[in-house]
């Protein structure tokens, strides 16, 4: 499982002209799932995300009670080492990934996070204004 975590002053996800998730002053998480990920992997990555000291003053989202916007992003497992057209072989199929994205979100909420999400299996428009900018790739 991979999470690309960015500090944002604002971020939103729009599907079919409807804003389905929106936050201010928090973390935007692009989340990718691979074949051997489990609910335990999702829970551990959620813990790491929530406790990641990426905010001003070496603080975490947990410290600041900062909101989190989670967007499923299978392309984090794209591989273009052999040419210009990436393969997605390392990305878990939607049937495997969706419950694990849900488990990740549930694990964040269980820790006290306010979490907004994108919408799985849709064409999403993701907008964000990065702060810093600070971006970290977490991987388990």
């Amino acid at each position: 499982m991979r999470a690309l975590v960015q500090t944002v002053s604002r971020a939103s996800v729009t599907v079919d002209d409807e804003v389905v998730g929106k936050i201010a002053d928090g973390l935007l998480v692009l989340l990718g799932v691979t074949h051997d990920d489990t609910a335990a992997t999702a829970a551990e990555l959620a813990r790491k995300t929530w406790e990641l000291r990426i905010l001003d003053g070496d603080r975490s989202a947990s410290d600041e009670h900062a909101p989190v916007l989670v967007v499923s992003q299978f392309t984090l497992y794209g591989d273009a080492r052999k040419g210009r057209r990436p393969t997605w072989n390392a990305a878990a199929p939607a049937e495997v990934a969706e419950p694990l994205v849900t488990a990740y979100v549930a694990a964040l909420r269980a820790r006290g996070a306010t979490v907004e999400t994108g919408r799985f299996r849709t064409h999403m428009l993701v907008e964000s204004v990065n702060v810093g900018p600070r971006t970290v790739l977490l991987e388990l």
Side-chain angles (χ1 to χ4, degrees):
M1 194 170 255
R2 291 178 178 161
L4 186 69
V5 182
Q6 298 180 317
T7 56
V8 295
S9 62
R10 65 181 182 272
S12 65
V13 178
T14 303
V15 176
D16 294 330
D17 296 323
E18 174 193 356
V19 175
V20 298
K22 180 178 178 180
I23 64 163
D25 298 320
L27 300 178
L28 170 61
V29 177
L30 305 178
L31 185 67
V33 178
T34 192
H35 302 281
D36 57 355
D37 288 332
T38 64
T41 307
E44 176 60 14
L45 191 60
R47 182 196 64 76
K48 286 184 77 156
T49 303
W50 188 233
E51 296 175 358
L52 181 66
R53 298 192 172 282
I54 191 173
L55 299 175
D56 289 341
D58 200 27
R59 309 269 296 165
S60 68
S62 172
D63 295 332
E64 297 294 323
H65 303 287
V68 182
L69 175 60
V70 177
V71 179
S72 175
Q73 187 76 30
F74 78 91
T75 60
L76 287 177
Y77 280 99
D79 184 353
R81 290 179 289 179
K82 293 186 179 182
R84 296 176 293 136
R85 182 176 297 144
T87 67
W88 316 112
N89 296 337
E95 306 76 44
V96 172
E98 188 170 10
L100 293 174
V101 170
T102 300
Y104 174 86
V105 169
L108 281 171
R109 288 181 175 145
R111 293 184 167 277
T114 299
V115 183
E116 295 281 322
T117 65
R119 191 172 290 158
F120 210 86
R121 297 187 200 199
T122 63
H123 180 71
M124 296 179 278
L125 299 176
V126 180
E127 295 183 87
S128 66
V129 176
N130 295 3
V131 174
R134 290 180 222 124
T135 303
V136 174
L137 178 64
L138 298 177
E139 190 167 19
L140 293 181

